């Protein structure tokens, strides 16, 4: 309460709190009164209290998410895949592949090289969200079939982005991990549907989402009973224009502190520039990322999308060697 | 090109530009060479040029949107509605109503008071995107029926948010203006479908979208043949925490300069605080907004959602008086 | 405290609070414990408590500033000047002039026109902070003499920026209002010295300063006994690049709520573009600004600095007519 | 130029460019005309061209800094110190010490442990910029004497922050590296004076400064003839509140690309939280930082300032072991 709050104002706030279903504890200091509400506050809209007469600030003490909180699974979540790979455990997983699936040759060449270098997942987009209606929009399900075949032939898991509810069903046979893109992090209907699916979900942080909002979004999936959620830091929007986004490496230790879910670093979208990708991939693993996801292409300069941030396969192979050393520094393996 | 770029590097960039289908003009200065590309560049991914050897910067000179640009309709777009109201013309339109549709009484009481005060649109949400899965999610179509009836009885137009493609069809009979929320500004499949509809669309700026991205999103709707698009500034995400968002009032003159589309100010979401709403509504009209959209409720403190930013009807009536004076200062009427 | 905090952890935090000199009140709920500290906390570094074992969040309830808070002078501060003009009262003051003082003709021509249009202050920079060491750095004290003479001859008050402590003394005879620029908002030594001066200070918000930080900076001046502080919103840094800065119009009502100090809107720096200045000046007055400060120049295109955001005198005169109407809408005069 | 620009408009812009002293090259495409200016543009205010009739965009092609650009010293700058340590070379330097100098015991204990763990610089603040006038402001020169003695006795270099011009002279005997804090990154008078000094300068990135602005600020020092400038990334201000700042790790590879100057990572200010410091220190070295600077204290919980982000000495020693491994992954030593 404000320093000049009257007894009437204090009583009115107490009444409002009781009406909202919370117990009230009052602390009266020399200059100020503090009212603490205790009870089921997760679904409470706190801002309405802020405007009551005499109120100075309203703070939420308990976190607004439940299932995503560290306390729900203090030992941490380890997501297991059919090829024995895990995300969230002792091993640092590596997901690599082109931004867009373009052809059979592209996917098989990529899969072979990714596997040989030590990668564990093959990525590739079949449905592409593009800012401009005039840009390439993806190959769709036929592309996914190609990717899945290339992944399986090389012992890799397949990960691809789902953009809307109607795509879930047709994608199911061809992906091992559903990716939700940054633009859909708050597409709550889609998240709720993915909560009903029994396949892991890779949830990317929105372009300007807080870590708390990312955890709240994961709650939509978790509350449907799908506990295999993997988060992903892919760069946030800031005032700096030297890079496409500012990759928030500190989100990695923050998520590990607040939540039991694993977190992946995406240095390709995090920087938008091929010549920064390796630096930021190394930084992500050094900061404790459970996996990295990078764009690679056998002919990176001609990639149908995101060419500028796509690594050459040779660069990827060199990077893998560096990551192997860094993983040991944080007590892990690649 | 960089100051030290070699002739080989320059030639390689010229070749890449020609391959991409643009004509090349070369300017050679004492210390630097500039290459200008001319041609159909709207769908070109410029970033790939940035990584070629010897390249310093790549700039897009022409704007990436076509139909949304001021040049497409220099006289400006005026969207007309069946009750004779326009948005984008000489009149400043006023859209008001509760965040969520809750009951018949609420909607009829609100509609009567909004109309009496000079409002022209009734707003109300039936499908609510909520950050937390545990919050109220809206009344759905039955709510829209209530709103539509209340609007028609009072000579108001009805505006409500559409969250996904499957809702368009059932909503059609009950809305005069489809609202696309901030979280869906880049839900491109939804935008494309709305381009097929023959009803106006109110497109809200994403929480961290640039003005250029908002115009690109409008291009998805316009390119489907639906030219009745109205943009909306509703606050952007910044480092400042004193308000929920920072309402970017300057987006209003910027949009008027870059585009022919009308733009609406939303001071309720722009601030998130009832005690700031009137100030920012006045500011929006003073800066040239074509309409404002505000949350009002007959019993604002008990609103099921957004209570903290909802005006009392008395506050709304007082605000209307102030806006009437300000409109004259910018050569308009309310 | 966290839900799983042990009694030992709670006791350790209580001990740390007592050691820091605050009284402790404990609230124990079904799942969580809250500890409220009461006492002289303004100078306390709260973050150290955040890292104690078992602590979930630490919030400051009382505001960290004292003299700048609304509670210190609920009726608001009105700064009075020798020509009878006030800032913070019923009248909206207008400060206008070139970015840089360049010549006698320029200043006298400007002063005459500003006065005729209804302006009350003449502004002009003699010491210029420039991002590049190769740009024009200002005329210094001889320039101030020119400005002061032009101001006095036209019944205007003179306002100019002070960049460092050594400039205060020589500037004293020539300015009625010391301006502290955005880059110096946290130059605490300079602020402390200005607290010793008995002339009003115009404190501009830093490029990325929160409103709370601006109020804390004003506290440095107020605590020296100089109560004539006027704040200024001049645009903040955001991700949007369509304008040089994003002018945070909502800072105006926020400051009026939190503090008793007057606040001025600077639409020239707020937008960086001449064609946006009038829109944003109108918005600032509509939102309740106590004054506006704008850059004008008899020959705006040739201005030695900030040419792009400087109004032609004809534009300024037209703007003054609009502001007069808007002022009446908020119960004020120009 | 805009698509609809007339010949008269184009001619007017060409005239303005010539008057500004640049040569003009014109490219005329099917729909648009491009005017390229060639000449001494570093000191040119481009924004004035943006407002000429018919102009669409103005872009600066050459960088606005000269001496700080990579091209000036393609091989990179290596700053050498009297104890043989270098910053910018093969070795990764480590600077550690308390936020504030508090006592003889504190500094000697810290210096001994820092040296033993492999550190090369002792840091400590004697003049402290504090947001609140009520917080501890530092020990001044007597504190620096303590630090210098402790550093020399242990073979370490001394680094401390200089806040204003008058402090340079008295600090000279006691520091090997002048630190310019984030709040002073654009205190151009101070930077110019440091350009006259013949001691290295550690220039911290401002709280909301772009990388380009940091390089422009370094230009103030370089243009005075002091080429021993070291840059520092210490976190930028973003919308995310989970950490005090968002440490922009990608600034490290960006600076290495654009400039020849070394860059240091400051994970203490970058995160503001002790439990994130080690993660971000590892990330900085993995991304290629030339040094790290961290806050350590023999009794971290009782530090007079920045306690929450200060490492225990044991944590520092463990971190050094990890950094040694990571340095090898990027071909360096610690």
């Amino acid at each position: 309460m404000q320093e000049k709050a009257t007894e009437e104002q204090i009583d009115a706030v107490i009444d409002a709190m009781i009406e909202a279903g919370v117990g009230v504890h009052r602390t009266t200091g020399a200059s100020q009164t503090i009212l603490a509400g205790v009870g089921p506050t997760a679904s409470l809209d706190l801002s309405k209290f802020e405007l009551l007469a005499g109120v100075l600030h309203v703070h939420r003490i308990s976190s607004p998410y439940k299932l995503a909180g560290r306390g729900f699974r203090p030992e941490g979540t380890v997501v297991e895949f059919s090829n024995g790979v895990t995300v969230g455990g002792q091993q640092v997983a590596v997901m690599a592949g082109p931004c867009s699936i373009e052809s059979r040759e592209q996917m098989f060449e990529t899969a072979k090289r990714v596997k040989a270098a030590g990668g564990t997942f093959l990525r590739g987009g079949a449905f592409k969200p593009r800012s401009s209606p005039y840009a390439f929009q993806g190959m769709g399900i036929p592309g996914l079939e190609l990717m899945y075949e290339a992944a399986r032939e090389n012992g890799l898991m397949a990960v691809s982005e789902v953009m809307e509810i109607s795509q879930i069903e047709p994608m199911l046979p061809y992906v091992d991990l559903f990716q939700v893109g940054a633009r859909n992090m708050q597409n709550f209907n889609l998240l709720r549907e993915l909560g009903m699916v029994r396949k892991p979900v890779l949830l990317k942080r929105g372009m300007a989402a807080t870590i708390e909002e990312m955890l709240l979004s994961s709650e939509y999936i978790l509350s449907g009973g799908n506990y295999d959620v993997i988060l992903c830091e892919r760069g946030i929007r800031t005032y700096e224009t030297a890079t496409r986004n500012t990759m928030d490496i500190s989100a990695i230790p923050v998520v590990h502190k607040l939540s039991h879910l694993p977190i992946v670093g995406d240095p390709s979208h995090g920087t938008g520039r091929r010549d920064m990708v390796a630096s930021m991939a190394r930084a992500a693993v050094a900061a404790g990322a459970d996996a990295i996801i990078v764009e690679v292409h056998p002919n990176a300069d001609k990639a149908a999308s995101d060419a500028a941030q796509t690594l050459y396969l040779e660069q990827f192979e060199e990077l893998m060697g560096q990551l192997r050393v860094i993983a040991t520094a944080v007590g892990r393996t690649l």
Side-chain angles (χ1 to χ4, degrees), chain A residues 5-229:
Chain A
T6 64
E7 269 308 304
E8 288 69 39
Q9 291 174 337
I10 294 171
D11 287 346
V13 175
I14 292 175
D15 288 351
M17 291 171 74
I18 289 169
E19 193 181 349
V22 298
V24 182
H25 294 250
R26 175 174 177 167
T27 302
T28 307
S31 59
Q32 267 185 307
T33 291
I34 298 169
L35 300 176
V38 178
T41 57
S43 61
L44 213 59
D45 178 8
L46 294 194
S47 58
K48 74 172 78 174
F49 293 103
E50 229 159 62
L51 295 170
L52 297 182
V55 171
L56 182 63
H57 285 305
V58 182
H59 295 294
R60 186 185 290 283
I61 303 291
S62 58
S63 59
Y65 43 85
K66 293 288 164 208
L67 304 174
R70 188 87 210 175
F72 184 73
R73 267 197 193 171
E75 74 284 8
T77 285
V78 179
V79 181
E80 292 178 46
F81 292 87
S82 66
N83 63 346
V85 166
T86 58
V87 177
Q90 201 268 340
Q91 190 190 19
V92 178
V94 175
M95 310 176 178
C99 176
S100 296
I101 301 169
E102 295 162 27
S103 72
R104 182 172 196 84
E105 295 65 36
Q106 171 216 33
M107 293 312 294
F108 275 78
E109 166 75 359
T110 304
K112 200 179 64 180
R113 300 278 293 272
V114 166
K115 177 66 181 182
T120 39
F121 287 78
L122 182 64
R123 59 148 290 154
F127 303 103
K128 305 301 303 174
R130 308 299 300 268
S131 303
S132 165
Y134 310 123
F136 177 59
Q137 314 271 335
M139 277 183 79
I141 295 294
L144 285 179
E145 294 181 34
L146 287 181
M147 180 172 72
Y148 187 73
E149 197 186 327
R152 276 299 175 271
E153 194 153 298
N154 289 280
L156 299 170
M157 296 287 99
V159 49
S160 195
E161 179 171 351
V162 56
M163 278 180 68
E164 54 173 41
I165 294 173
S166 65
Q167 295 166 355
I168 296 176
E169 195 69 28
M171 286 179 74
L172 262 176
Y174 306 117
V175 297
D176 300 295
L177 175 59
F178 279 105
Q179 176 181 319
V180 176
R183 289 188 182 83
N184 279 316
M185 193 201 82
Q186 294 197 319
N187 186 335
F188 301 124
N189 293 319
L190 176 61
L191 298 180
R192 213 188 310 263
E193 287 299 318
L194 288 169
M196 307 300 167
V197 168
R198 288 300 166 265
K199 279 216 168 151
V201 177
L202 178 67
L203 177 65
K204 289 195 152 192
R205 183 179 183 180
M207 200 168 282
T210 60
I211 294 169
E212 182 174 294
E213 287 169 341
M214 177 166 57
L215 291 173
L216 273 167
S217 283
S218 77
E219 194 87 2
Y220 269 90
I221 305 171
L222 295 167
S223 63
N226 185 350
Y227 291 106
D228 286 341
V229 177

Side-chain angles (χ1 to χ4, degrees), chain A residues 123 179 202 204 231-235 245 247 249 252 263-272 277 280-281 284 289 291-295 306 309:
Chain A
R123 59 148 290 154
Q179 176 181 319
L202 178 67
K204 289 195 152 192
L231 305 174
C232 181
E233 163 61 33
R234 45 77 72 205
N245 298 297
M247 190 168 172
I249 293 284
I252 297 166
I263 181 162
V264 174
D266 174 351
S268 302
H269 290 88
T271 63
V277 169
M280 298 307 283
I292 59 159
I293 181 165
V294 287
E295 293 186 357
D306 280 0
Q309 68 193 36

